Amino acid sequence: GWVEPEPRMTLDYQRSEACRERCAKELAKEVPPWNYITATTVTTNHMKVAPGMLYGIEFPWNEELLIQMGPGWLTNAFHTAGTLAKDNEVTRIIPERRVKVTTGNNGGKFLFEVRYKRHDEGLHRKLFAKVPHPLEGTTKSDRLSSSVNKQPMELYELNASRLLEATLPCKIPKFYFGDISNETS
């Protein structure tokens, strides 16, 4: 049978009214300033789950937590970020088991698939997440470096996508949700 092709990221979406409206709403929000954190903050709180400073909801910081928090959480996150229609929902999260992303010193990464109640045009099923490195083993120094020495780089990266997606002159990955916490790093 016929298989529907995956939507591709194009400048058409970034120039769409929906993207412009989402970015305008984000730009109108008041977001608290970044408070610089210490290595002690990271080592003490890195395993905690806390609300993020951009959307005010708790969020997963690794693949296991995403699976545990489930489709209901992801639906709420996408609704809160304005990237999924309120009458649609994520019905399933499928972790990628064959391909593992192991590169990059600024954060861990993983791939996963989602299924929606209704597959609207422009919704991707194959998604990518960037999360903090585990504070252990070979990634411990990378985690401390990115969470302490390079702060608030992650916030700036999130803001570039969240606020500027509709105005950047080049295509970027579609923003679905992203957040950061001063409390947990």
Side-chain angles (χ1 to χ4, degrees), residues 7-42:
R8 304 204 62 77
M9 188 64 224
T10 67
L11 282 173
D12 293 341
Y13 169 73
Q14 284 178 243
R15 301 295 178 258
S16 73
E17 188 62 28
C19 187
R20 283 193 299 276
E21 286 176 11
R22 186 195 62 71
C23 287
K25 286 179 187 175
E26 292 293 322
L27 283 163
K29 284 185 190 176
E30 274 199 44
V31 175
W34 180 259
N35 295 314
Y36 282 83
I37 60 174
T38 65
T40 302
T41 303
V42 177

Side-chain angles (χ1 to χ4, degrees), residues 80-124:
T80 303
T83 55
L84 181 67
K86 291 287 188 188
D87 65 345
N88 203 353
E89 63 188 63
V90 175
T91 59
R92 189 169 171 209
I93 299 172
I94 307 160
E96 172 58 57
R97 298 291 181 211
R98 292 174 292 150
V99 176
K100 294 298 175 189
V101 182
T102 59
T103 61
N105 74 338
N106 288 328
K109 295 136 183 104
F110 64 90
L111 305 170
F112 62 102
E113 291 189 39
V114 295
R115 296 296 179 264
Y116 300 99
K117 176 176 141 184
R118 184 183 67 249
H119 188 71
D120 294 339
E121 182 180 349
L123 287 178
H124 298 87

